[in-house]
Amino acid sequence: MSLEGTVAIVTGAGAGLGRAEALALAAAGADVVVNDVDPAAAAVVEEIERIGTKAVLVTGDVGERATADALLATALERFGALHIVVNNAGVLRDRMLFSMSDEEWDLVVRVHLRGHFLLSRNAAAHWRQRSKQRGRPVHGRIVNSTSEAFLLGSVGQPNYAAAKGGIAALTVSSARALRRYGVTVNAICPRARTAMTAEVFGPPPTDGPDPLSPDQVAPFVAYLASPAAGSISGQVFVVHSGVVALLAPPTVERRFDATGDLWTAADLDAQVGAFFADRDPERTFASTDVLDLP
């Protein structure tokens, strides 16, 4: 499970979950390219170097192609390789659907979904080329950050929920495409107390350890990045408070078949409409079971 000799990129690593993930990777032996929009993230570079591995800061918006290019180039030029990508950077612009502006939608989808795509695409192209040159699989790991918001259809977060749903789909697609090259791709739904979730989880407890500390999530990210997790790919996990919950894909609840060669309105109403006539309106595609996790 050692990451000695590996190189990682962690986006949004200036604070909160990204910082904890970067430090966990460094503690396992990885050199880290730290990314954030805030130059103050240089403090995380100093923390990593005190651990005993190397680090460098690349500031920039992950939704911009130039930032993704700079992150890959820095990893290769400064450390000579890239093995791990942790896509963590994100923003919130919460608002009800009917009140959301174009800019609030575009910003959240761009930073989250486009940001994941740009860096993952660059890393995937690099690993594919390396695998073909060497004639064997490489050690490549992508850990994406999605959220239970996409499972719940969070009211007031249509932009965030849509972006996180897209990241889950991107994760599965990427995992299937990169399997032959030795690359694994997984996603986590972290429950962690950060600046983004302060209003959701409130202040930390004043007595004892915080069960929602980002430090509760970071070890699992470091594990997924390790050689030991080479058989885990295309999965989505809920992670928090000492809990790792593997999510299952959707299942078919009910099948409806036309009674004739083609559906008629009456037939649809008799079968589909009748099925939903007395159904609880809260029972939708939303996966509220995740809320039952302690």
Side-chain angles (χ1 to χ4, degrees):
M1 288 179 281
S2 170
L3 296 178
E4 186 174 353
T6 65
V7 178
I9 296 172
V10 183
T11 68
L17 191 57
R19 171 185 169 275
E21 291 166 339
L23 293 175
L25 293 170
D31 295 327
V32 185
V33 179
V34 173
N35 161 258
D36 205 275
V37 294
D38 189 349
V44 179
V45 171
E46 295 175 0
E47 288 185 85
I48 290 171
E49 291 176 340
R50 285 196 292 270
I51 290 173
T53 61
K54 300 174 184 176
V56 62
L57 174 64
V58 175
T59 57
D61 179 350
V62 295
E64 298 292 337
R65 168 68 185 272
T67 301
D69 291 348
L71 287 168
L72 177 59
T74 300
L76 299 180
E77 292 167 7
R78 292 290 295 271
F79 303 130
L82 175 66
H83 306 92
I84 302 157
V85 167
V86 179
N87 286 305
N88 169 75
V91 296
L92 289 177
R93 293 295 185 272
D94 294 352
R95 203 172 299 278
M96 297 297 287
L97 176 62
F98 40 77
S99 301
M100 182 163 288
S101 69
D102 296 0
E103 292 75 19
E104 289 165 335
W105 172 273
D106 291 343
L107 174 65
V108 170
V109 172
R110 181 178 64 79
V111 172
H112 287 274
L113 185 53
R114 177 177 165 84
H116 273 62
F117 158 71
L118 288 172
L119 184 53
S120 295
R121 187 268 312 276
N122 285 10
H126 168 70
W127 288 327
R128 178 175 178 266
Q129 182 182 38
R130 288 279 295 161
S131 177
K132 288 191 170 186
Q133 288 173 343
R134 299 171 62 186
R136 62 181 186 272
V138 299
H139 177 93
R141 300 286 186 268
I142 298 176
V143 181
N144 291 330
S145 300
T146 183
S147 167
E148 292 163 274
F150 94 90
L151 298 167
L152 302 172
S154 299
V155 175
Q157 291 186 311
N159 48 4
Y160 184 72
K164 291 305 189 181
I167 288 169
L170 175 64
T171 297
V172 177
S173 177
S174 301
R176 297 182 66 194
L178 300 177
R179 182 186 314 155
R180 70 182 71 179
Y181 306 114
V183 178
T184 69
V185 189
N186 295 286
I188 60 168
C189 300
R191 293 183 190 173
R193 199 184 315 275
T194 67
M196 282 181 56
T197 60
E199 294 185 5
V200 177
F201 296 126
T206 56
D207 55 335
D210 183 2
L212 292 177
S213 166
D215 294 334
Q216 296 276 5
V217 177
F220 184 60
V221 172
Y223 175 72
L224 289 177
S226 74
S231 62
I232 305 172
S233 192
Q235 307 300 330
V236 179
F237 300 89
V238 177
V239 188
H240 70 98
S241 310
V243 173
V244 172
L246 173 64
L247 298 182
T251 59
V252 176
E253 180 183 348
R254 179 68 174 260
R255 171 176 165 168
F256 305 94
D257 292 288
T259 54
D261 293 333
L262 293 173
W263 282 106
T264 65
D267 193 10
L268 285 168
D269 189 51
Q271 294 197 56
V272 183
F275 181 77
F276 286 95
D278 298 317
R279 188 184 179 93
D280 181 353
E282 291 296 323
R283 188 179 175 188
T284 67
F285 193 73
S287 179
T288 56
D289 289 351
V290 296
L291 296 178
D292 295 332
L293 287 171

